[in-house]
Amino acid sequence: MRFSTSRKPSPRTRRLARTLASFFGSEYMTRGKTGLDDGDTWLVVVEEHGNPAGLARRSGGQEMVLHFTVAVEGGSRRLTAEMPVVVGTGKVARDVAEFFGLGLSAEAGAGRAIKVVGRQIEFLDGGELILRLNRSS
């Protein structure tokens, strides 16, 4: 899984893409005029009016989009290499787990987790909030 942005991203969009890449222990690639390799799974932070507005998952010629607004951005720091698990119950939690291709759990452990409560998606590392997104419809 690799992360990038639209072709001419705002600084806030680039920062969010780098934060997400770090959270997942994945590579971030500055896009510019470079196309996306169809053989890989790409998560592209898309923006609306200069602000991050969604995450497009592009893989095998197909695309899924998760729309959101950024509620909280934590400070950047080096994260562990552990893959996160999605924590929550209900349809939204299942949709988020499917979107990221991760496992779903009812309870968070001590490691890295993506906690889904209602429309909020919280990215946690050892219980510390890294990022909070409010999911749009």
Side-chain angles (χ1 to χ4, degrees), residues 45-81:
V45 178
V46 295
E47 61 185 12
E48 187 174 296
H49 304 293
N51 291 309
L55 196 56
R57 181 174 194 238
R58 297 177 181 163
S59 178
Q62 295 183 358
E63 179 176 284
M64 294 188 334
V65 179
L66 177 68
H67 295 281
F68 58 78
T69 57
V70 178
V72 175
E73 289 182 79
S76 66
R77 63 186 182 96
R78 183 165 299 279
L79 302 172
T80 62

Side-chain angles (χ1 to χ4, degrees), residues 5-43:
T5 61
S6 57
R7 292 189 185 267
K8 293 184 179 181
S10 68
R12 188 172 184 207
T13 300
R14 281 194 304 272
R15 186 173 56 246
L16 177 62
R18 286 188 181 111
T19 299
L20 287 168
S22 175
F23 185 82
F24 284 95
S26 297
E27 179 184 358
Y28 168 78
M29 186 182 106
T30 303
R31 179 91 176 274
K33 292 185 179 183
T34 306
L36 301 177
D37 180 16
D38 288 339
D40 291 331
T41 297
W42 286 90
L43 291 171

Side-chain angles (χ1 to χ4, degrees), residues 109-131:
R112 196 172 307 169
I114 301 173
K115 185 177 175 184
V116 180
V117 179
R119 293 197 154 293
Q120 284 190 341
I121 303 169
E122 295 180 338
F123 293 77
L124 305 166
D125 187 40
E128 185 177 337
L129 181 66
I130 303 298
L131 177 69

